[in-house]
């Protein structure tokens, strides 16, 4: 068994390493790469509000917890497919997709036509009436799932979808206790906040009654795991007790942890278990192969329901499958989805069996906007676009290429700061660490201020990415699924330059 990687902070690399890095760099390598060509001509007319006024309103009139990215907040004025433009008419490659939400591309022409056509026909009626759009969409969406998952409940956000799943699990089983993973994120409403295993999402109010967390099965940062554990084109470079092609000892270890939690702290019957297929906000964490299968067995033995959170991993993003849970060889009792379901349109859904869904009839349950005609038309069109443009296949092909190119950064020149590369399809994480002499056993998370420096450099060169992980040191790369190989090359080239600039900042700092 392996010890966890150290979590103390280190401010800078040793000077001898910095000198070696800078001596082997060339001035040309630090020149910003050019964005791939784009033949779209944006409408960049002056906006009604200037940036100064927008920032003033943001400070005075909007939720104060909304903290924009970047030291100089980015004001986005228009988007097209994988690109966005700011108020200065500058183009950016969006490799974060509106937080894993812009699935088929910004302002997709098919969606523009769908919204225009449907809004002229029927914008909204309550679900107390029938309309054809929601029924057509429900049948089409259900056809993307294995039986017996065939009953759809529409809503408006991922938090709300997980709230409904939580309600159904408790109502159907008659039990109350729910288990989730540490490092997980399932929403920030008062009902879903207790499911989250990341402390920054917790408010100091009574939340945790009936919720228990078990160890996060992370082959890179967890207590056990290593280079044979993940179902990914790129494995961690951490040593491993498993044998290539054999069973996963790490999966069994974390399953035993879950079994101990179930037997020591919970009643004989539980309501359910929540898990993302790949953790999103937590830093794109992938579990050891076979862990979710074992977790499924343990949960079912306790009478609980298995709830798969596909808010970020659904709709072909992982490449090999349309849903992330399919890569784990299980059929959940409940699946929740949002984000990419509507390409940014406020839409979410829960799918389950007829028997589990019937638990909602024990009292009144109603959603004014869930599955209204306009949102249903948009959701239906998104499914059509994914199929017509073969975006799942593109996620697999282009995502695998990107993963392997990022792994070359980790295994080559930048091995002392790129600790791990992981993911499937276009659900990718790059974890920044600090290691002395490439010793990954003693690596520690890169300090946030250093991560932010690299993050700002990427933006300055026209690349938008996300951040996550409990230490804030994971770059989340989850773009619209229409990106190209040229976009991959640009992304990697920008990261190379940003890493070189990072070394330069450290060198200047060490000389002071």
């Amino acid at each position: 068994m392996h010890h966890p990687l150290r979590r103390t902070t280190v401010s800078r690399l040793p000077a001898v390493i910095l000198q070696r890095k800078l001596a082997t760099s060339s001035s040309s390598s630090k020149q910003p790469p050019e964005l791939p060509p784009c033949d779209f001509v944006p409408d960049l007319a002056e906006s009604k509000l200037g940036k100064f006024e927008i920032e003033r309103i943001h400070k005075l009139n909007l939720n104060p917890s909304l903290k924009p990215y970047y030291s100089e907040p980015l004001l986005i004025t228009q988007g097209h497919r994988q690109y966005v433009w700011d108020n200065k008419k500058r183009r950016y490659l969006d490799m974060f997709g509106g937080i894993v939400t812009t699935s088929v591309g910004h302002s997709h022409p098919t969606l523009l036509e769908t919204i225009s056509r449907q809004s002229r026909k029927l914008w909204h009626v309550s679900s107390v009436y029938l309309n054809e759009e929601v029924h057509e969409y429900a049948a089409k969406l259900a056809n993307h799932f294995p039986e017996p998952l065939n009953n759809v409940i529409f809503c408006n956000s991922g938090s709300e979808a997980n709230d409904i799943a939580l309600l159904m699990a408790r109502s159907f089983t008659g039990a109350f206790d729910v288990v989730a993973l540490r490092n997980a994120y399932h929403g920030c409403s008062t009902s879903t906040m207790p499911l989250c295993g990341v402390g920054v999402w917790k408010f100091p109010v009574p939340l945790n009654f009936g919720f228990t967390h078990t160890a996060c099965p992370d082959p890179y940062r967890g207590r056990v795991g290593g280079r044979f554990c993940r179902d990914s084109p790129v494995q961690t470079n951490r040593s491993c007790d498993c044998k290539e092609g054999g069973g996963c000892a790490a999966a069994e270890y974390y399953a035993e942890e879950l079994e101990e939690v179930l037997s020591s702290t919970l009643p004989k019957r539980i309501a359910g278990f929540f898990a993302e297929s790949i953790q999103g906000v937590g830093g794109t964490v992938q579990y050891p192969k076979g862990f979710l299968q074992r977790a499924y067995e343990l949960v079912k033995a306790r009478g609980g329901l298995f709830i798969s959170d596909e808010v970020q991993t659904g709709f072909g993003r992982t490449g090999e499958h349309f849903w992330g849970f399919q890569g784990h060889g299980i059929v959940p009792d409940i699946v929740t989805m949002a984000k990419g379901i509507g390409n940014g349109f406020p839409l979410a859904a829960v799918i389950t069996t007829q028997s589990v869904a019937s638990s909602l009839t024990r009292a009144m349950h109603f959603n004014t906007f869930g599955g209204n005609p306009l949102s249903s038309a948009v959701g239906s069109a998104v499914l059509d676009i994914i199929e017509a443009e073969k975006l799942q296949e593109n996620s697999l092909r282009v995502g695998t290429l990107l993963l392997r190119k990022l792994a070359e950064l980790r295994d080559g020149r930048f091995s002392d700061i790129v600790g791990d590369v992981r993911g499937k399809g276009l659900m990718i994480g790059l974890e920044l660490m600090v290691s002395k002499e490439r010793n990954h056993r003693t690596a520690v998370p890169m300090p946030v201020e250093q991560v932010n420096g690299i993050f700002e450099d990427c933006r300055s060169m026209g690349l938008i990415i996300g951040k996550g992980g409990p230490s804030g040191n994971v770059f989340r790369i989850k773009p619209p699924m229409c990106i190209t190989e040229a976009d991959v090359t640009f992304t990697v080239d920008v990261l190379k330059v940003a890493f070189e600039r990072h070394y330069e900042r450290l060198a200047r700092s060490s000389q002071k």
Side-chain angles (χ1 to χ4, degrees):
M1 298 298 180
H2 303 292
H3 297 292
L5 298 175
R6 290 170 53 208
R7 295 174 183 268
T8 54
T9 58
V10 170
S11 61
R12 56 178 64 91
L13 293 171
V16 64
I17 296 179
L18 288 172
Q19 292 169 1
R20 184 165 64 243
K21 292 286 185 184
L22 293 172
T24 57
S25 67
S26 64
S27 58
S28 62
S29 69
K30 294 188 282 293
Q31 298 302 313
E34 292 187 8
L35 274 162
C38 175
D39 57 7
F40 177 75
V41 179
D43 177 12
L44 296 174
E46 292 295 327
S47 61
K48 295 180 180 179
L49 297 176
K51 188 175 182 182
F52 175 81
E53 189 172 6
I54 287 174
E55 290 181 343
R56 183 177 64 86
I57 293 171
H58 191 283
K59 182 177 181 180
L60 293 176
N61 303 122
L62 284 177
N63 179 357
S65 70
L66 297 175
K67 304 295 184 183
Y69 273 168
Y70 307 117
S71 57
E72 181 185 346
L74 182 61
L75 173 54
I76 295 176
T77 59
Q78 190 163 357
H80 173 73
R81 304 307 291 265
Q82 66 267 49
Y83 299 109
V84 294
W85 285 259
D86 69 8
N87 60 309
K88 297 179 181 178
K89 304 182 180 181
R90 182 176 181 187
R91 179 164 60 102
Y92 299 82
L93 173 62
D94 181 7
M95 292 295 282
F96 198 25
I99 313 185
V100 209
T101 298
T102 310
S103 51
V104 301
H106 293 280
S107 300
H108 194 288
T110 299
L111 294 180
L112 296 178
E113 171 58 30
T114 298
I115 291 171
S116 176
R117 182 178 62 252
Q118 184 61 42
S119 63
R120 290 193 300 267
K121 177 188 175 186
L122 184 64
W123 187 296
H124 174 76
V125 291
S126 171
S127 55
V128 298
Y129 310 105
L130 302 181
N131 69 82
E132 63 178 329
E133 286 79 14
V134 70
H135 293 82
E136 177 187 5
Y137 180 42
K140 184 185 291 187
L141 184 60
N143 284 338
H144 283 79
F145 286 90
E147 288 289 347
L149 298 174
N150 57 24
N151 197 281
V152 184
I153 301 100
F154 289 112
C155 52
N156 308 298
S157 72
S159 294
E160 188 177 4
N162 283 325
D163 174 85
I164 293 170
L166 179 64
L167 174 64
M168 287 195 297
R170 286 172 166 166
S171 178
F172 179 79
T173 62
F176 188 73
D177 288 274
V178 175
V179 181
L181 296 172
R182 295 176 196 143
N183 205 54
Y185 176 81
H186 297 287
C188 58
S189 65
T190 52
S191 62
T192 58
M193 196 183 303
L195 287 168
C196 296
V198 183
V200 295
W201 295 96
K202 304 280 191 177
F203 280 82
V205 295
L207 289 172
N208 294 330
F209 177 63
F211 295 88
T212 302
H213 290 84
T214 187
C216 175
D218 181 356
Y220 178 63
R221 296 285 299 280
R223 290 191 175 275
V224 299
R227 63 174 173 264
F228 298 130
C229 292
R230 293 194 302 227
D231 175 23
S232 172
V234 176
Q235 296 287 350
T236 177
N237 51 19
R238 187 182 182 191
S239 61
C240 187
D241 290 334
C242 308
K243 294 183 178 179
E244 188 172 9
C248 183
E252 193 57 36
Y253 170 86
Y254 291 113
E256 289 174 0
E257 287 274 304
L258 172 59
E259 189 170 21
E260 183 175 345
V261 167
L262 290 170
S263 61
S264 63
T265 64
L266 293 170
K268 293 182 179 179
R269 186 175 180 84
I270 64 171
F273 176 86
F274 276 75
E276 302 159 271
S277 296
I278 298 174
Q279 288 185 336
V281 173
T284 320
V285 173
Q286 288 180 279
Y287 318 129
K289 291 176 288 188
F291 167 75
L292 282 189
Q293 288 180 324
R294 289 284 291 116
Y296 179 90
E297 295 166 0
L298 292 169
V299 170
K300 300 304 287 184
R302 292 277 179 151
L305 301 185
F306 191 102
I307 299 100
S308 181
D309 182 332
E310 296 284 341
V311 169
Q312 296 194 26
T313 49
F315 298 92
R317 177 162 293 278
T318 59
E320 289 183 352
H321 304 95
F322 203 78
W323 306 108
F325 68 78
Q326 293 171 309
H328 295 280
I330 59 173
V331 177
D333 299 290
I334 303 173
V335 179
T336 62
M337 64 207 93
K339 290 188 179 287
I341 189 174
N343 198 54
F345 200 92
L347 175 65
V350 183
I351 192 166
T352 187
T353 66
Q354 293 284 340
S355 58
V356 173
S358 67
S359 65
L360 290 180
T361 65
R362 295 176 182 174
M364 291 295 295
H365 188 274
F366 180 77
N367 187 302
T368 299
F369 300 106
N372 79 350
L374 187 55
S375 64
S376 295
V378 170
S380 182
V382 167
L383 291 176
D384 292 340
I385 293 167
I386 292 171
E387 181 178 0
E389 298 185 4
K390 300 186 182 304
L391 295 183
Q392 179 183 333
E393 293 85 344
N394 193 62
S395 289
L396 177 61
R397 179 179 61 84
V398 180
T400 300
L401 174 66
L402 178 53
L403 279 162
R404 288 177 173 159
K405 284 184 174 292
L406 293 174
E408 290 174 4
L409 302 184
R410 179 198 64 184
D411 299 335
R413 174 173 169 70
F414 306 107
S415 61
D416 48 2
I417 59 173
V418 179
D420 194 32
V421 174
R422 51 188 179 255
K424 292 184 70 175
L426 289 173
M427 183 85 177
I428 297 173
L430 184 152
E431 184 154 6
L432 298 176
M433 305 289 286
V434 177
S435 62
K436 296 181 179 180
E437 297 294 339
R438 298 182 174 85
N439 185 347
H440 290 280
R441 284 187 174 275
T442 59
V444 296
M446 181 180 285
V448 171
E449 64 273 13
Q450 294 182 18
V451 175
N452 288 342
I454 299 171
F455 189 67
E456 294 275 356
D457 278 337
C458 290
R459 177 261 177 91
S460 74
M461 289 181 276
L463 176 66
I464 297 174
I465 51 179
K467 293 185 296 182
S471 300
N473 66 321
V474 180
F475 283 160
R476 298 169 63 198
I477 303 175
K478 299 155 186 185
M481 296 187 293
C482 58
I483 67 163
T484 66
E485 292 185 10
D487 297 321
V488 166
T489 299
F490 174 77
T491 298
V492 175
D493 287 346
V494 166
L495 287 169
K496 288 178 182 178
V497 176
F499 292 157
E500 296 286 4
R501 292 178 179 178
H502 168 71
Y503 288 140
E504 291 179 349
R505 283 191 293 272
L506 292 183
R508 288 194 297 268
S509 177
S510 67
Q511 293 168 1
K512 291 181 180 180

